[in-house]
Amino acid sequence: MHYISTRGHNAHQTFSEILLGGLAADGGLYLPVKYPQVTPAQLDAWRGLSYADLAFEVLSLYCDDIPQEDLRALVRKTYTAEVYCNGRADDSAKDVTPIHWLGDEQGTRFGLLSLSNGPTLAFKDMAMQLLGNLFEYTLNKQGQELNILGATSGDTGSAAEYAMRGKKGVRVFMLSPKGKMSAFQVAQMYSLQDENIYNIAIDGVFDDAQDIVKAVSNDHEFKARQKIGTVNSINWARVVAQVVYYFQGYLLATKNSTEKVSFCVPSGNFGNVCAGHIARMMGLPIEKLVVATNENDVLDEFFKTGVYRARKSAETFHTTSPSMDISKASNFERFIYDLMGRDAVKTAQMFKDVETKGGFDLSQDPAYKNIAQYGFVSGKSTHLNRLDTIRDIHAKYKVLIDTHTADGVKVARENLQSNVPMLVLETALPIKFAETIEEAIGRTPDRPASFIGIENKPQRVVDMPADVHQVKDFVAAHTGL
């Protein structure tokens, strides 16, 4: 399996060669030369596998330069019930991502794919824990070290830091938007005292932090000298690890591979739903991929109109589903590359237009007129929708969901189809957004014992303007390189 850039850089590379990096040399994102295909017979053969063994089957199609016995050991080390059982002690913990069926609505089964069982109580743990083990394995093999520069709107940062803390040869420099995350998210990240973890609070929004990470990635001399890598979802390994739980959700929701399932995905940076797109391109029988946005509705606007209009920082809303407060979706480029028939020249020009003109318009393009074949539909949710949905799900099913999952549930209900099960990808435990949960139902949600009092712990963070040069100087000063 070899990988190419969405912008045309034609040097085919292996999984291990792109693992530690982020952007390709031309500023594009990596994708496989072609998606491996999974047959109905393979799908049925995978029924009943543990999550770790299913992950091996899926990932081995993409990571064929890692010895199979090593890859199997890595996924079995990563995906254990002990790591992925926060807040859940029932038999379904063995599934790692169990389905929590809510009930029947509009003639179809409707439920949550539980992805928040990991150490930081968010779906980002599903890929990040594997990434930490892959990084340590590869660095040890190569005798190298890595300085990770990342950006977070909330959950990526804590998932990355918890996955990388104490890892040999790895430092993490995580940028986050100052004052734009929940108190719990802030405490999860900033309370870590590990010497290899550095938190930088940027005066701006997530997109400002993400732009800094991309600018550093595009400074090839600095990136090489400082041994810079990334854990954001521009990193291919992050995305492909998330593909696995679409297969797991499908297999748990069906009895045979003739059935179809729809997935609704709360989305900001398009990484989570991009993994669903890849699973569908591999042959997983997904009927619809429902993209749910909050008030920052760039993606909803595109899927409804064909116009991609990235917002400026001042136009990005600070909402009660803050991990989706993103107005420039990095992973969207991967889908656009496929939509445009893998035309790298067109893709490169379109994303140059994003930087210079603020977006692009495909409304009259023949490619957009064929978009239905990819299964995407979309919808938007607001603060009042979130409150109403949290209250309704709690009253009707005695289940408490977080604000992002509420966005997903609201939009999923608008796109139910008779006899096609709908799974909403749960994104986090409600405690991460306690203030809004209390506003919705009048009480704060329960929290795992290990996180009691986390907001009162000493915090270690550096405040900084949204300036790439100051970030570079900080990284250089703390790497000794």
Side-chain angles (χ1 to χ4, degrees):
M1 173 63 70
H2 285 87
Y3 295 85
I4 53 175
S5 168
T6 52
R7 300 191 186 182
H9 185 64
N10 60 4
H12 290 198
Q13 298 191 69
T14 66
F15 178 83
S16 294
E17 287 171 334
I18 68 170
L19 170 65
L20 301 179
L23 296 175
D26 59 1
L29 302 180
Y30 286 113
L31 276 175
V33 172
K34 61 180 180 179
Y35 295 116
Q37 296 301 295
V38 174
T39 67
Q42 278 178 293
L43 272 178
D44 284 334
W46 291 349
R47 292 181 185 279
L49 292 181
S50 68
Y51 191 94
D53 287 345
L54 176 62
F56 170 77
E57 296 294 343
V58 174
L59 295 174
S60 63
L61 301 174
Y62 291 97
C63 316
D64 55 3
D65 60 327
I66 297 177
Q68 289 208 346
E69 61 273 19
D70 291 355
L71 182 60
R72 193 183 295 276
L74 283 166
V75 294
R76 286 182 172 174
K77 175 183 177 181
T78 301
Y79 296 113
T80 67
E82 290 73 27
V83 172
Y84 293 97
C85 63
N86 269 307
R88 290 175 174 80
D90 57 29
D91 290 340
S92 65
K94 70 180 186 304
D95 293 327
V96 176
T97 61
I99 294 176
H100 189 152
W101 292 112
L102 297 176
D104 287 348
E105 295 199 6
Q106 299 179 35
T108 190
R109 285 187 300 159
F110 179 64
L112 307 175
L113 184 62
S114 301
L115 302 179
S116 62
N117 301 346
T120 71
L121 319 182
F123 81 93
K124 304 291 178 74
D125 291 321
M126 294 306 304
M128 209 68 78
Q129 287 289 310
L130 178 64
L131 206 59
N133 289 329
L134 279 169
F135 278 0
E136 189 173 51
Y137 167 85
T138 303
L139 292 169
N140 181 57
K141 283 269 189 181
Q142 299 176 357
Q144 295 184 23
E145 59 184 75
L146 184 69
N147 294 307
I148 293 168
L149 180 64
T152 185
S153 54
D155 292 329
T156 291
S158 55
E161 292 176 356
Y162 277 67
M164 304 298 167
R165 60 190 306 198
K167 287 283 190 286
K168 185 179 179 182
V170 179
R171 298 182 192 88
V172 178
F173 298 87
M174 188 58 61
L175 312 182
S176 56
K178 185 177 180 181
K180 302 295 194 299
M181 302 186 299
S182 74
F184 190 96
Q185 288 176 311
V186 166
Q188 269 193 314
M189 291 175 57
Y190 299 172
S191 65
L192 292 180
Q193 303 296 321
D194 303 73
E195 291 184 358
N196 70 324
I197 303 296
Y198 299 91
N199 281 298
I200 303 171
I202 293 294
D203 185 14
V205 298
F206 168 77
D207 293 313
D208 297 316
Q210 181 168 254
D211 286 345
I212 291 171
V213 172
K214 286 185 174 181
V216 172
S217 291
N218 282 318
D219 183 341
H220 303 302
E221 188 277 329
F222 181 87
K223 181 180 177 182
R225 184 175 74 251
Q226 296 296 334
K227 305 183 189 304
I228 300 292
T230 181
V231 292
N232 277 68
S233 53
I234 57 176
N235 183 301
W236 168 250
R238 266 280 307 279
V239 175
V240 75
Q242 292 175 308
V243 171
V244 177
Y245 52 69
Y246 283 89
F247 279 85
Q248 174 77 328
Y250 175 84
L251 292 171
L252 292 176
T254 60
K255 292 183 172 61
N256 63 70
S257 60
T258 65
E259 300 175 62
K260 288 197 170 185
V261 173
S262 291
F263 292 88
C264 183
V265 190
S267 192
N269 214 21
F270 206 75
N272 202 5
V273 75
C274 184
H277 163 67
I278 292 162
R280 195 174 186 274
M281 295 293 283
M282 292 171 67
L284 190 66
I286 296 175
E287 177 68 17
K288 296 293 183 186
L289 284 167
V290 185
V291 178
T293 74
N294 63 12
E295 292 89 335
N296 297 294
D297 58 352
V298 175
L299 295 171
D300 182 40
E301 182 178 57
F302 173 80
F303 284 110
K304 285 187 165 68
T305 69
V307 176
Y308 181 69
R309 184 173 59 89
R311 314 293 199 266
K312 296 178 181 178
S313 298
E315 300 174 290
T316 301
F317 297 103
H318 176 38
T319 77
T320 48
S321 50
S323 297
M324 293 157 60
D325 291 348
I326 297 169
S327 293
K328 194 187 293 182
S330 283
N331 270 285
F332 193 51
E333 183 169 337
R334 286 186 164 111
F335 168 64
I336 291 295
Y337 179 66
D338 284 339
L339 178 65
M340 304 309 293
R342 297 203 145 201
D343 186 324
V345 175
K346 280 188 178 179
T347 304
Q349 183 59 53
M350 290 164 67
F351 283 90
K352 181 180 179 182
D353 289 346
V354 172
E355 299 304 323
T356 59
K357 301 177 182 178
F360 51 78
D361 183 350
L362 291 182
S363 59
Q364 302 306 311
D365 194 291
Y368 179 74
K369 296 184 186 304
N370 293 324
I371 199 169
Q373 67 181 295
Y374 294 94
F376 281 103
V377 294
S378 67
K380 172 183 174 180
S381 174
T382 67
H383 176 67
L384 292 179
N385 295 144
R386 283 188 280 284
L387 294 179
D388 288 344
T389 302
I390 290 167
R391 290 188 195 108
D392 182 65
I393 294 296
H394 186 247
K396 191 172 183 179
Y397 299 115
K398 309 304 180 193
V399 173
L400 200 53
I401 57 176
D402 85 287
T403 53
H404 307 74
T405 306
D407 288 333
V409 168
K410 186 264 185 183
V411 176
R413 282 172 151 172
E414 297 168 350
N415 290 278
L416 296 175
Q417 293 172 273
S418 181
N419 299 317
V420 179
M422 173 70 79
L423 293 179
V424 178
L425 269 58
E426 181 203 41
T427 60
L429 289 192
I431 185 57
K432 300 195 81 166
F433 309 96
E435 300 92 338
T436 308
I437 302 301
E438 186 169 12
E439 183 182 355
I441 65 168
R443 68 170 179 84
T444 57
D446 298 330
R447 67 172 66 198
S450 59
F451 288 102
I452 292 174
I454 190 173
E455 293 91 342
N456 300 320
K457 291 184 177 180
Q459 296 188 358
R460 182 168 165 257
V461 59
V462 175
D463 293 343
M464 199 173 293
D467 184 298
V468 65
H469 301 292
Q470 291 197 39
V471 171
K472 283 181 176 179
D473 290 344
F474 184 88
V475 170
H478 290 84
T479 61
L481 298 173

